[in-house]
Amino acid sequence: MAKIPEIKDTKKLSLDFIAGLIAGGGSFLVVPYRKGKQTVFVFQLRLHFNDRKLVFAVRNSLGLKEPVYEFYHNNRHSALLLVRKRAIIENIIIPAFEGRLSGLKEQQFQRWKERFFEEKKKWRYRYGQRAYLSERFSPPEPHISSSSTISEEESKKSMMGVGEL
């Protein structure tokens, strides 16, 4: 897959219009990773390559930074937008389509969203909480506690290069 050069001058699309496109050409996928030990959640929009400007319009309207790829499969030429980052899925994709889809795509979205939040409980790294620190690491303890009663003179004596000549 090759990246398509970025198109910035696109129309601002409404979320309802984008939801209509997703109903036709979108997918909510759960992909096994590392021999089934992990799962990756993927939001995908694939349209014909001639509609690549529309794919960029969706990307720009949602405020995404992910690249759009050129994709060939079974003699079909497509433009493909993939979103795999957990934080973007949780903070942009899920709220954007909540209550906007209908029919079978709504059922698929609801199952995907439920599984996403079930799996989120198991993740070792938490987004939004101190950049990528694991739960098992506790914050470092301070060298000198705030309740210390060391006077200013005593602390100066312990410093190198401070004192009388």
Side-chain angles (χ1 to χ4, degrees), residues 30-40 86 115 119:
V30 179
V31 180
Y33 180 66
R34 293 191 179 181
K35 297 181 181 178
K37 293 180 182 178
Q38 293 178 335
T39 55
V40 177
R86 296 174 187 166
R115 185 154 177 210
E119 290 290 321

Side-chain angles (χ1 to χ4, degrees), residues 126-153:
R126 306 277 187 227
Y127 292 100
Q129 299 175 1
R130 299 181 94 190
Y132 307 105
L133 287 180
S134 173
E135 290 177 351
R136 68 186 181 139
F137 295 116
S138 59
E141 293 184 22
H143 235 357
I144 300 173
S145 68
S146 60
S147 63
S148 176
T149 58
I150 299 174
S151 69
E152 192 175 327
E153 289 179 343

Side-chain angles (χ1 to χ4, degrees), residues 22-29 42-46 81 105 108 112:
I22 299 307
S27 300
F28 302 100
L29 308 167
V42 180
F43 163 71
Q44 169 184 300
L45 175 62
R46 184 172 58 184
L81 172 66
K105 193 60 71 173
Q108 292 171 349
W112 180 75

Side-chain angles (χ1 to χ4, degrees), residues 1-158:
M1 287 191 298
K3 291 181 185 177
I4 299 174
E6 192 165 336
I7 301 172
K8 291 186 179 182
D9 59 330
T10 59
K11 282 184 167 182
K12 177 79 172 160
L13 304 175
S14 72
L15 290 176
D16 291 330
F17 182 82
I18 295 171
L21 288 174
I22 299 307
S27 300
F28 302 100
L29 308 167
V30 179
V31 180
Y33 180 66
R34 293 191 179 181
K35 297 181 181 178
K37 293 180 182 178
Q38 293 178 335
T39 55
V40 177
F41 290 83
V42 180
F43 163 71
Q44 169 184 300
L45 175 62
R46 184 172 58 184
L47 298 176
H48 192 275
F49 189 75
N50 293 342
D51 289 326
R52 65 188 172 274
K53 192 168 183 177
L54 185 56
V55 175
F56 275 101
V58 169
R59 185 194 82 152
N60 296 341
S61 296
L62 291 174
L64 303 174
K65 303 289 184 211
E66 279 72 11
V68 176
Y69 297 99
E70 184 175 5
F71 183 69
Y72 290 99
H73 182 67
N74 289 339
N75 293 325
R76 293 186 181 152
H77 193 193
S78 305
L80 179 67
L81 172 66
L82 295 171
V83 177
R84 292 174 239 166
K85 292 181 181 175
R86 296 174 187 166
I88 293 174
I89 288 173
E90 183 176 4
N91 298 322
I92 296 175
I93 301 300
I94 291 175
F97 301 122
E98 188 67 46
R100 286 192 167 82
L101 299 169
S102 60
L104 181 60
K105 193 60 71 173
E106 179 184 24
Q107 294 171 7
Q108 292 171 349
F109 173 71
Q110 292 300 330
R111 285 194 307 263
W112 180 75
K113 182 182 77 170
E114 288 169 7
R115 185 154 177 210
F116 178 86
F117 287 115
E118 286 173 14
E119 290 290 321
K120 182 182 175 186
K121 296 173 188 173
K122 301 175 190 174
W123 293 334
R124 180 175 171 186
Y125 298 103
R126 306 277 187 227
Y127 292 100
Q129 299 175 1
R130 299 181 94 190
Y132 307 105
L133 287 180
S134 173
E135 290 177 351
R136 68 186 181 139
F137 295 116
S138 59
E141 293 184 22
H143 235 357
I144 300 173
S145 68
S146 60
S147 63
S148 176
T149 58
I150 299 174
S151 69
E152 192 175 327
E153 289 179 343
E154 290 174 0
S155 66
K156 281 186 181 178
K157 287 180 185 176
S158 65

